[in-house]
Amino acid sequence: MRGAVLVAIAAAIGNLLQGWDNATIAGAVLYIKREFDLQSQPKIEGLIVAMSLIGATVITTFSGPVSDWLGRRPMLIASSILYFLSGLVMLWAPNVEILLLARLLDGFGIGLAVTLVPVYISETAPPEIRGLLNTLPQFTGSVGMFLSYCMVFGMSLMDSPSWRLMLGVLSAPSIVYFVLAVLFLPESPRWLVSKGKMREAKKVLQMLRGTEDVSGELALLVEGLGIGGETSIEEYIISQDNNDRQDHAVVDKDQIKLYGAEEGQSWIAKPVTGQQSTLGMVSRYGSMAAAASQSMIPTMDPMVTLFGSVHEKVPEMGSMLFSNFGSMLINTKTDGDDEVGHEWDEENPHHKDIIGEDGDGSEGSGREDELEENLRSPLLSRQDTNGEQVGGGVGIGGGWQLAYRKDEKSSGGLKRIFLHQEGGGVGGMVGAGSRRGSVLSLGGGEGEPVHAAALVSRSVLHLDRVSGHGSIGEAIDKQVEGSGGGAAAAAKGGAGWRDLFEPGVKHALVVGVGLQILQQFSGINGVLYYTPQILEQAGVSVLLSNLGLGSESASLLISGLTTLLMLPSIGVAMRLMDIAGRRWLLLSTLPVLLTTLILLVLGNVIHLGTVTHAVISTGSVIVYFCTFVMGFGPVPNILCAEIFPTRVRGICIAICALTFWIGDIIVTYSLPVLLNSIGLGGVFGIYAAVCTVAWFFVYLKVPETKGMPLEVITEFFAVGAKQSLAAENN
């Protein structure tokens, strides 16, 4: 995972520069007003601060479609260049007009970074640590704010502080960002696959995952181009495909042969009729919710329950069975020195037979005996050259496995199957001891068949385009690089605005846009902008002034210390994001935000003692910031980068980011008007009401996406949206 972690850290430098700029302009504007005599021109002062917001809003309108066209990496490089140019112009800035131009360029850089860094990290990170890595932008942004406050505070102690130098220093870290983006950031593998560049995508995945075997994930990315089709939820009993089973037992006519993305993978699956998985039962929740939806009582979205059914029934140690499927035939040694298992190489033209020429799943010639021997092997984990067991493959992440079976209704067609192990074996829940013990096996005598839920949909691949005895890997290669076929059309046809009206995409947009609106109106900008005023009214600034600091230096010091206290909180969020989950963090932190806002309201409407007022106000502001960066700060951007299909991810993330910036502008410019009409206590009362609405919105509409591959998430949104429509129609 080291490659993915390093790439995420390098990309998150763009958000460090955003935090740096936000803190710098807050301090520099105090000195800009003096030089240009803006005390009597508050509109110009506000425009200098807000010009970066305007620039970010403008660039966001184009960033998504352009990133879908040119790629994520070029846009991040462009962001670093814009940061650098804006810093140089601000360092020069002889008048207000040039300063406004510089702030506009700075906003362009901020808009690109804030919009695309979460998308880039989501598309490159493995599912198991995607939440942690996507919290890095929040962490680096706060680090940038703290470092900038330290710099500005130090300069404020000088006899003649230079605001040009404060702002111009931005060019120095932007050079570091540019070098990292050019030399170390690869293009997103999902974007490469969407353009049919399979070989480049494979090389990037190998670098990011630190392994040569990326065939399963490569197949997953191709299948992600076709999300949104008719999907059914099925249940299987899955056992190992022992090719000599006909010699020992009668083969059930209802059994289905499933094939993995890697060469040589195959299993026997028996559809379940009498026993239903949790996922299968929840998929029928729509009819039950239909009656409740007719009443005035809000009901939880069936999609939320659908997602939750997966997370609630995952075994304690994860899906150990499926986590080792991917390595079934990789690096398995016999008693001799020769390797029996071989990796699938999508660039190797000499593929042997997993699926016969007629598509019936029969084995061909060549390595048949070797494949059969490996399929009987009960050990589903890798071995190193010394014969010692090492970490196996992880399927497609989060306990999910991608498999295929022949589509009987389509000649040469395939069904794509996302498999997920239910809580234990067929005979019941496997004990905690067995889950922590030896690796489970399929039909090898040391384990038992597995009960699995499956999302089944038509694959974008077609076997009739594979010449001779080909593998799934060859099918992927042929279909994407060929002139026809579902994958090629999906990869080269691009996304249109009509794709936004698919039920799953519309459902995801409601979640993404709703979170962005509620985040902005939950009070973060109001509390952030008026922190010095709040604390000064509480008497804290006066206390620091008695220590020999001027009021300006005191407010900068307070802001810097508050930012420093936010860093451990973000660290906690990074740890919990992939364990407790995004939804849990939101539901847990929003009540704390509500409590702090209520305390701030009480502090402004009830006359308390000086010391009590100071303690309550200061504590509320600090707790508000620390709690916000644990939940409502990072989670909306993380979710927005996860819930949209690859082909429309750029457009959809641009819509969500545009909502973010417009909300930011509205809140910032409405604050003075609201303060004059209802006062600071009234403003915080509005923010408290929004936090209450946000909690119910999250509870009813926002699903848990931790640990799930992006393509599975978007498939769930498509299924859940159709269930919601069915419930409404009933």
Side-chain angles (χ1 to χ4, degrees):
M1 302 296 182
R2 183 175 59 180
V5 173
L6 294 177
V7 163
I9 292 173
I13 300 298
N15 293 77
L16 184 147
L17 298 182
Q18 179 218 4
W20 181 289
D21 176 78
N22 287 345
T24 304
I25 191 62
V29 72
L30 301 173
Y31 306 100
I32 294 173
K33 289 193 299 182
R34 294 179 184 175
E35 179 170 334
F36 295 121
D37 194 21
L38 300 179
Q39 285 85 353
S40 60
Q41 302 181 61
K43 292 184 179 179
I44 300 298
E45 175 190 348
L47 190 60
I48 291 173
V49 176
M51 186 58 74
S52 63
L53 299 180
I54 297 173
T57 304
V58 172
I59 201 69
T60 296
T61 307
F62 308 100
S63 61
V66 174
S67 71
D68 283 341
W69 173 42
L70 294 178
R72 319 307 192 204
R73 179 175 179 268
M75 303 302 284
L76 295 180
I77 294 174
S79 173
S80 67
I81 294 173
L82 289 167
Y83 275 128
F84 176 74
L85 293 177
S86 66
L88 289 182
V89 177
M90 285 187 288
L91 183 62
W92 168 53
N95 51 51
V96 173
E97 289 75 15
I98 298 297
L99 178 59
L100 290 174
L101 174 62
R103 296 290 298 160
L104 185 66
L105 292 174
D106 182 56
F108 290 162
I110 290 174
L112 291 178
V114 171
T115 303
L116 296 177
V117 167
V119 175
Y120 180 82
I121 293 177
S122 288
E123 292 185 343
T124 56
E128 291 80 5
I129 58 171
R130 188 177 60 239
L132 182 151
L133 296 184
N134 236 336
T135 314
L136 277 174
Q138 183 80 50
F139 184 81
T140 56
S142 297
V143 169
M145 291 178 64
F146 173 69
L147 295 177
S148 179
Y149 275 128
C150 291
M151 178 196 69
V152 175
F153 172 72
M155 290 185 177
S156 70
L157 300 178
M158 299 178 180
D159 294 334
S160 299
S162 172
W163 62 265
R164 290 181 176 84
L165 184 59
M166 292 179 185
L167 298 175
V169 171
L170 178 68
S171 294
S174 66
I175 295 176
V176 177
Y177 183 37
F178 174 80
V179 172
L180 291 175
V182 171
L183 299 181
F184 297 103
L185 293 187
E187 184 52 83
S188 161
R190 282 179 167 82
W191 183 86
L192 290 171
V193 167
S194 73
K195 300 302 179 182
K197 300 179 180 181
M198 292 293 294
R199 287 177 173 81
E200 294 180 39
K202 179 183 178 182
K203 292 178 181 178
V204 172
L205 281 175
Q206 289 172 335
M207 184 273 290
L208 292 173
R209 303 297 179 254
T211 179
E212 293 294 317
D213 177 24
V214 294
S215 50
E217 188 169 1
L218 196 63
L220 173 68
L221 303 194
V222 174
E223 294 296 347
L225 303 176
I227 296 294
E230 291 297 326
T231 302
S232 61
I233 298 178
E234 301 176 4
E235 293 87 43
Y236 295 132
I237 301 298
I238 301 179
S239 58
Q240 184 179 351
D241 179 17
N242 290 327
N243 290 293
D244 61 348
R245 64 171 58 246
Q246 293 185 3
D247 298 335
H248 305 286
V250 177
V251 179
D252 194 318
K253 64 179 181 179
D254 294 330
Q255 288 182 343
I256 301 170
K257 196 166 186 176
L258 303 182
Y259 300 92
E262 290 89 351
E263 186 174 5
Q265 283 186 336
S266 59
W267 310 281
I268 295 298
K270 182 178 180 180
V272 178
T273 54
Q275 181 182 9
Q276 292 184 357
S277 69
T278 304
L279 182 61
M281 289 187 289
V282 173
S283 70
R284 295 162 179 79
Y285 174 74
S287 59
M288 297 169 58
S293 65
Q294 302 298 322
S295 67
M296 299 298 293
I297 302 175
T299 58
M300 185 180 295
D301 196 315
M303 176 195 61
V304 177
T305 309
L306 194 64
F307 273 85
S309 67
V310 174
H311 297 291
E312 291 170 3
K313 297 301 180 182
V314 174
E316 293 178 12
M317 297 301 291
S319 182
M320 295 182 66
L321 181 74
F322 287 151
S323 70
N324 289 279
F325 267 178
S327 58
M328 178 182 278
L329 299 178
I330 307 302
N331 293 341
T332 303
K333 295 287 186 178
T334 61
D335 293 336
D337 294 332
D338 296 332
E339 289 187 6
V340 175
H342 299 270
E343 295 181 18
W344 163 54
D345 184 353
E346 57 98 24
E347 298 185 24
N348 182 1
H350 304 293
H351 293 291
K352 298 299 179 182
D353 47 62
I354 293 184
I355 299 179
E357 184 175 4
D358 59 356
D360 62 359
S362 60
E363 277 74 11
S365 60
R367 293 163 47 202
E368 182 177 283
D369 296 338
E370 294 176 340
L371 291 176
E372 289 182 359
E373 180 64 28
N374 279 277
L375 288 169
R376 295 191 191 99
S377 173
L379 183 62
L380 304 183
S381 60
R382 301 178 186 223
Q383 293 180 346
D384 62 16
T385 56
N386 296 323
E388 296 180 359
Q389 184 176 322
V390 295
V394 293
I396 56 176
W400 290 87
Q401 173 72 21
L402 173 62
Y404 295 90
R405 65 176 168 85
K406 191 181 76 170
D407 186 359
E408 297 178 355
K409 297 181 181 180
S410 175
S411 177
L414 288 172
K415 286 287 188 179
R416 173 193 70 223
I417 305 173
F418 291 134
L419 292 167
H420 193 276
Q421 180 182 352
E422 288 293 292
V426 177
M429 293 291 291
V430 178
S434 64
R435 282 197 293 269
R436 295 184 176 91
S438 60
V439 177
L440 297 177
S441 61
L442 283 175
E446 298 178 10
E448 57 180 6
V450 169
H451 189 190
L455 293 173
V456 182
S457 182
R458 177 173 294 182
S459 172
V460 299
L461 304 178
H462 291 274
L463 285 179
D464 54 5
R465 290 192 156 270
V466 181
S467 60
H469 296 284
S471 70
I472 298 294
E474 189 176 352
I476 294 172
D477 200 13
K478 292 285 186 181
Q479 287 295 320
V480 175
E481 295 185 358
S483 58
K492 298 181 180 180
W497 288 102
R498 64 181 181 181
D499 292 323
L500 301 181
F501 294 96
E502 290 185 1
V505 177
K506 286 196 299 183
H507 218 80
L509 278 172
V510 169
V511 173
V513 171
L515 283 174
Q516 296 291 1
I517 292 174
L518 293 170
Q519 182 203 54
Q520 286 305 303
F521 286 90
S522 66
I524 181 61
N525 290 302
V527 178
L528 183 65
Y529 190 80
Y530 283 96
T531 293
Q533 177 179 330
I534 296 169
L535 298 181
E536 184 175 0
Q537 291 179 355
V540 178
S541 296
V542 175
L543 176 62
L544 292 178
S545 298
N546 293 334
L547 297 178
L549 297 176
S551 60
E552 295 167 351
S553 298
S555 64
L556 293 172
L557 179 60
I558 294 169
S559 299
L561 292 175
T562 303
T563 305
L564 179 62
L565 292 173
M566 290 161 54
L567 298 180
S569 300
I570 302 174
V572 172
M574 294 174 69
R575 174 63 178 166
L576 295 177
M577 198 66 69
D578 293 307
I579 299 176
R582 294 82 155 127
R583 175 180 166 87
W584 183 88
L585 280 171
L586 287 176
L587 293 176
S588 300
T589 57
L590 279 169
V592 181
L593 294 181
L594 175 61
T595 301
T596 58
L597 290 169
I598 291 175
L599 289 175
L600 287 172
V601 171
L602 295 177
N604 281 273
V605 299
I606 300 176
H607 297 288
L608 302 173
T610 303
V611 176
T612 303
H613 187 196
V615 171
I616 291 177
S617 297
T618 304
S620 297
V621 168
I622 293 175
V623 172
Y624 178 92
F625 281 135
C626 292
T627 306
F628 185 87
V629 297
M630 290 180 63
F632 224 2
V635 171
N637 285 339
I638 292 175
L639 283 172
C640 288
E642 293 177 333
I643 60 180
F644 301 112
T646 299
R647 66 181 183 276
V648 293
R649 184 170 291 126
I651 296 176
C652 292
I653 200 70
I655 294 173
C656 293
L658 190 62
T659 304
F660 170 88
W661 292 115
I662 292 175
D664 194 348
I665 292 174
I666 292 174
V667 170
T668 302
Y669 275 90
S670 64
L671 275 174
V673 177
L674 291 175
L675 287 172
N676 290 332
S677 58
I678 60 177
L680 198 57
V683 170
F684 289 145
I686 294 176
Y687 294 158
V690 173
C691 285
T692 304
V693 174
W695 190 92
F696 283 100
F697 179 82
V698 172
Y699 180 77
L700 298 174
K701 294 291 185 182
V702 179
E704 181 55 71
T705 60
K706 66 175 181 179
M708 300 178 70
L710 297 183
E711 287 71 19
V712 176
I713 293 173
T714 52
E715 189 78 68
F716 264 78
F717 263 93
V719 174
K722 292 171 184 176
Q723 291 179 0
S724 298
L725 289 175
E728 293 174 1
N729 293 333
N730 290 334

